[in-house]
């Protein structure tokens, strides 16, 4: 009887295949670009010498969670995966997105009402983010739930930063307002059925990432200004 041929664990693993869908590949590429932008912003914000240490840490968490979401989104959209693997990856992705939105709102509350209010509401916000994740696991309409959840939080944050911008109470509030406005536009694009060709084809998800790239750049610019100017909260 022939001796069985030993196979290395690496050889036993089937090579990863790219997703055959062109729009899924552009979605993955733009998600990766968004992740790189957030990673660069995380490094930049983390290097700023500030008085508002807690505020900087909060926004570093927001940016870090966005990096995690982008990495997972790149894998989910860019590779040809089984439905079971895809389902497993969506779980931490939705959890990171839920916490990102919750912490983003706390960042707005910090700038609007101060550190004490933000600290007091932080546990509740984390609880809401985790609850959002739990609801997505129990419902078939996870994407619609996320759109409604994100829209509610972003509209609340927009109102806060419009107030801060018009009253001149926070350096960079105008850029933050513009970034949030673009994020809301991006969410509307993602909820649509829009699909266009810009040299390569983009569906609503890829277009969402393109708009969100601009919105994130504006947000980070405004955030940097507020931290560097040592806003009224940190004085």
């Amino acid at each position: 009887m022939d001796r069985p041929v030993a196979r290395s664990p690496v050889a036993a693993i089937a090579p990863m295949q790219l997703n055959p869908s062109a729009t899924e590949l552009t979605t993955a590429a733009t998600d990766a670009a968004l992740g790189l932008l957030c990673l660069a912003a995380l490094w930049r914000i983390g290097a700023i010498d500030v008085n508002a240490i807690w505020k900087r840490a909060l926004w570093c968490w927001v940016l870090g969670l966005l990096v995690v979401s982008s990495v997972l989104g790149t894998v989910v959209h860019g590779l040809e995966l089984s439905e079971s693997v895809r389902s497993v990856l969506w779980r931490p992705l939705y959890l990171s997105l839920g916490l990102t939105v919750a912490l983003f709102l706390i960042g707005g509350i910090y700038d609007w009402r101060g550190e004490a209010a933000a600290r007091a509401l932080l546990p509740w916000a984390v609880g809401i983010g985790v609850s959002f994740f739990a609801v997505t696991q129990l419902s078939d309409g996870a994407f619609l739930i996320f759109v409604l959840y994100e829209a509610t939080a972003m509209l609340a944050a927009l109102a806060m930063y419009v107030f801060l911008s018009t009253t001149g109470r926070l350096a960079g509030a105008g850029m933050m307002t513009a970034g949030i406005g673009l994020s809301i536009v991006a969410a509307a694009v993602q909820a649509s059925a829009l699909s266009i060709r810009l040299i390569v084809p983009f569906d609503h998800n890829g277009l969402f990432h393109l708009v969100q790239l601009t919105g994130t750049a504006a947000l980070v610019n405004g955030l940097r200004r507020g931290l560097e100017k040592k806003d009224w909260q940190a004085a």
Side-chain angles (χ1 to χ4, degrees):
M1 184 170 54
D2 293 336
R3 178 182 299 176
V5 179
R7 299 178 63 190
S8 69
V10 175
I13 299 175
M16 290 288 184
Q17 299 292 327
L18 291 177
N19 197 314
S21 168
T23 53
E24 284 293 279
L25 290 179
T26 52
T27 295
T30 50
D31 218 347
L34 184 59
L36 289 173
L37 175 62
C38 290
L39 185 61
L42 176 61
W43 177 84
R44 180 68 181 89
I45 296 300
I48 296 176
D49 185 19
V50 300
N51 289 336
I53 302 297
W54 194 86
K55 175 180 175 178
R56 180 178 65 181
L58 175 68
W59 283 103
C60 283
W61 270 100
V62 171
L63 292 167
L65 286 167
L66 283 172
V67 172
V68 172
S69 301
S70 294
V71 170
L72 291 171
T74 300
V75 173
V76 168
H77 290 288
L79 298 179
E80 189 173 13
L81 305 170
S82 66
E83 285 303 316
S84 59
V85 172
R86 193 179 298 272
S87 176
V88 168
L89 291 177
W90 274 113
R91 292 172 186 170
L93 197 157
Y94 273 123
L95 178 60
S96 60
L97 287 175
L99 292 173
T100 298
V101 172
L103 294 183
F104 190 103
L105 192 57
I106 292 298
I109 291 171
Y110 180 104
D111 288 331
W112 178 43
R113 300 297 296 172
E115 183 174 329
R119 283 179 176 270
L121 292 173
L122 178 61
W124 294 96
V126 172
I128 290 172
V130 174
S131 298
F132 156 78
F133 167 71
V135 171
T136 63
Q137 302 307 296
L138 299 173
S139 172
D140 294 331
F143 176 71
L144 178 59
I145 294 170
F146 174 70
V147 169
L148 295 174
Y149 171 65
E150 181 186 28
T152 302
M154 289 298 102
L155 287 172
L158 180 64
M160 295 176 198
Y161 283 102
V162 166
F163 169 76
L164 291 168
S165 178
T166 55
T167 58
R169 294 176 61 185
L170 178 70
M175 291 299 296
M176 295 285 285
T177 301
I180 295 169
L182 285 168
S183 297
I184 292 172
V185 171
V189 170
Q190 189 178 33
S192 72
L194 189 61
S195 179
I196 63 175
R197 175 176 287 273
L198 300 171
I199 303 178
V200 292
F202 290 87
D203 64 6
H204 59 285
N205 287 319
L207 292 172
F208 158 73
H209 292 143
L210 290 179
V211 179
Q212 190 62 61
L213 279 165
T214 307
T216 300
L219 282 166
V220 172
N221 189 18
L223 176 61
R224 178 184 57 79
R225 291 183 186 182
L227 286 168
E228 289 180 343
K229 293 293 184 180
K230 296 180 175 58
D231 60 74
W232 67 279
Q233 316 277 0

